[in-house]
Amino acid sequence: MVENEEAVISEEEAAQYDRQIRLWGLEAQKRLRGSRVLLVGMKGLGAEVAKNLILAGVKALTLLDHQQTTPDDARSQFLIPTGSSGKNRAEASLERAQNLNPMVEVKVDTENIKDKPQEFLTQYDAVCLTCCPRDVMVRTDHFCRTHNIKFFAGDIFGYHGYMFADLGEHEFVEEKQKVVKVGTGDEDGPKTKKVKIDPNETTMIKKTVNFCHLKEALEVDWSNEKDSSLKRTPSDYFLLQVLLKFRTVKARDPSPDSYADDCELLLQMRNDVLDSLGVKSDLLTDEFTSTCFSELAPVCAVVGGVLSQEIVKALSQRDPPHNNFFFFDGLKSIGIVDCITSK
């Protein structure tokens, strides 16, 4: 984690971020203005996160992506101009991203995150991975945890999206309405006091929450869990496991260009993955294969909004964070926050 210097908010910045300062306070905005963030993967979800972080006013944002743009990017990646096919995604996104807020330092890195030395991460206060294989996410999370760097991950698969956060031992403040004791008169005795909430006064409460590693969250043994516990667990958690397995084996996500073959492979992987987790394969019906292809712009917007919100909350140390997963099902328009851990 970077040792931040005390951020100073200029008059120009105070005017730019006036609404945010009114929302979460000057000290929170100062923490945000002193923070550096690494964002890996500049597809549709990455574009949403980048936009929100730049507008929120972090100190610096690095866009890292080693891949080239494709025609599919035009469906959800609004930072890439028309006619940029074949260019590096991060480089193609830079101009529009920087124009969102000239006060934020936006940089581009075209290397593969897998080829980076892990010490590269120490210059950042938060790291957010998208479009990455499971082993890279687990390894990066472990390094971030040991160096007190906030770690986030997220992806979009068709109608489905998720985000994960590992903030280690995270301290934050929460604004609560002030509770006062008022007298009730002689009816209940002259010294009797009753609790009353004053809507016009608030107080800041300091709290601490502990997160688990991504590896621990993905390797829960469900074989001894009761059916009631499985029913409470979002099915998208198990879908995520299947799709991460597909990404590891095929080095890509399910593609419309190979729809039939990928559907068949997904069904096979569903059986293998859920069996290894100790749950029945019918937890995911066969129809799931038709809903997890490509990135859909509305799903990117929802998950990207939540993911960037959580990064802002973690960096500003304001308000309780989502611990630890957020799943979004675009078919049902339902978002679920769930804490999944082996403990």
Side-chain angles (χ1 to χ4, degrees), residues 182-192:
V182 296
T184 59
D186 296 331
E187 183 178 331
D188 297 318
K191 296 183 179 180
T192 303

Side-chain angles (χ1 to χ4, degrees), residues 2 32 46 53 75 82 88 103 105 109-110 117 131 181 188 194 199 229 236 246 296 330:
V2 182
L32 200 59
L53 292 180
R75 300 171 186 170
T82 303
N88 175 271
M103 296 182 186
E105 179 185 350
D109 192 323
T110 60
C131 310
K181 290 185 177 181
D188 297 318
K194 284 192 175 181
S229 177
D236 275 12
F246 185 100
L296 300 182

Side-chain angles (χ1 to χ4, degrees), residues 40-43 65 89 129-133 154-155 247 253 295:
V40 179
M42 284 306 298
K43 295 181 71 175
D65 197 317
R89 279 201 193 106
L129 302 188
T130 70
C131 310
C132 291
D155 273 304
R247 181 181 286 175
D253 292 337
E295 279 191 323

